[in-house]
Amino acid sequence: MAQDFLSNWGSQARKGSLELVVMSSLAEREFYGYELVEHLKAQCKLEVSDGTLYAILLRLKSEGFVRHRWEHMETVPARKYYALTKPGHAALEGMRVIWAEIARAV
């Protein structure tokens, strides 16, 4: 029973921090969608579906925190690259402050 609770709690905690992780990744460099999914799996140990990631990116874009650009290549289909905007960097700093306060409380 405790294992089920912890598994569910861990899943909810990861979902709650996913925007912070996505924005932190985009603060480092641009990513295209699939590449960001793979980065989150490899570097952050987070399993995130394409649909979940794109919903987050859309929400962050509507807030003005993320921008995108298309890159057209001859050998592969066009890719949409995402990056943090200046307001996105400011929001990320605020989120990190809140995260640190939560971590201290825990």
Side-chain angles (χ1 to χ4, degrees):
M1 175 144 53
Q3 188 59 35
D4 289 342
F5 173 83
L6 290 176
S7 177
N8 184 55
W9 186 86
S11 176
Q12 294 302 314
R14 278 188 289 281
K15 286 179 187 175
S17 59
L18 202 48
E19 284 182 350
L20 176 61
V21 174
V22 167
M23 290 177 69
S24 292
S25 296
L26 293 175
E28 295 173 15
R29 68 178 182 88
E30 287 185 321
F31 285 92
Y32 63 92
Y34 178 76
E35 180 185 33
L36 184 53
V37 168
E38 293 301 307
H39 169 79
L40 294 175
K41 285 179 189 176
Q43 300 299 315
C44 306
K45 308 298 185 232
L46 292 173
E47 292 291 327
V48 58
S49 71
D50 294 355
T52 298
L53 176 65
Y54 287 115
I56 289 170
L57 290 169
L58 184 62
R59 191 167 50 251
L60 294 174
K61 186 176 181 307
S62 73
E63 292 290 337
F65 298 155
V66 168
R67 63 171 170 74
H68 73 266
R69 68 175 180 83
W70 285 97
E71 186 167 307
H72 300 277
M73 295 174 259
E74 292 183 25
T75 58
V76 296
R79 292 179 175 163
K80 188 187 283 189
Y81 281 83
Y82 297 89
L84 221 52
T85 61
K86 197 174 263 191
H89 281 280
L92 176 59
E93 289 309 309
M95 292 167 74
R96 285 178 171 163
V97 168
I98 293 168
W99 183 261
E101 290 170 355
I102 292 169
R104 270 193 301 278
V106 170

